[in-house]
Amino acid sequence: MNKVILMGRLTRDPEVRYGGANNSAVARFSLAVDRRFKREGDEQTADFINCVAFGKTAEFLEKYARKGTKFVVEGRIQTGSYTNKEGQKVYTTDVVCENVEFAESKNSQSGGSSFDGGAGFAPSSDAGDGFMNIPDGIDEELPFN
């Protein structure tokens, strides 16, 4: 089984090209994925993983993905090789993305902590415990008591 799930931030805006018989989109990008544990003497705390997406997934990335945005990527590892201009064989490893999703809200990217929950309520600034205050008169709308 060849399955990869990554969570990381884009190191740059995706490079999107259109081509092929049906002029479909191809997006290339790199994710900075934090390492869980840091080895002694190792300065690098993240791995930079090359990814490629096709079709609708590539179009989604072209429209919404920007440098620094945190994504969860699901796909498979694909290896390949080519000969460069100097005649040297270059080996490649890419994650071919089958599913890409946002890993955080837009507000948390910019440092905000607003949660809307789809109900139109923002957390009160006087709630020091990290929970939002429930507005008065909403008790009858809650599915539990």
Side-chain angles (χ1 to χ4, degrees), residues 1-4 76:
M1 179 184 299
N2 182 354
K3 184 149 183 120
V4 175
R76 59 186 167 80

Side-chain angles (χ1 to χ4, degrees), residues 19-135:
N22 55 0
N23 202 32
S24 66
V26 178
R28 293 194 171 278
F29 60 98
S30 179
L31 278 182
V33 178
D34 289 331
R35 291 183 179 171
R36 198 170 244 187
F37 304 103
K38 184 177 179 180
R39 290 186 296 210
E40 194 174 319
D42 193 0
E43 292 179 20
Q44 186 174 346
T45 60
D47 292 302
F48 300 91
I49 300 171
N50 294 322
C51 302
V52 61
F54 300 95
K56 295 289 185 189
T57 304
E59 291 172 13
F60 166 80
L61 289 164
E62 179 180 37
K63 188 171 184 178
Y64 298 108
R66 298 292 173 260
K67 178 181 177 179
T69 307
K70 194 173 194 179
F71 282 99
V72 173
V73 170
E74 179 183 350
R76 59 186 167 80
I77 292 178
Q78 180 173 293
T79 60
S81 65
Y82 64 93
T83 304
N84 66 13
K85 294 176 184 176
E86 290 80 37
Q88 299 168 324
K89 194 161 195 166
V90 178
Y91 295 94
T92 62
T93 302
D94 293 310
V95 172
V96 178
C97 302
E98 295 163 357
N99 188 27
V100 176
E101 297 179 19
F102 288 104
E104 65 185 0
S105 69
K106 191 172 187 177
N107 288 334
S108 63
Q109 291 177 39
S110 60
S113 61
S114 163
F115 173 71
D116 181 8
F121 303 116
S124 171
S125 60
D126 59 7
D129 58 2
F131 292 97
M132 66 179 260
N133 292 329
I134 297 175

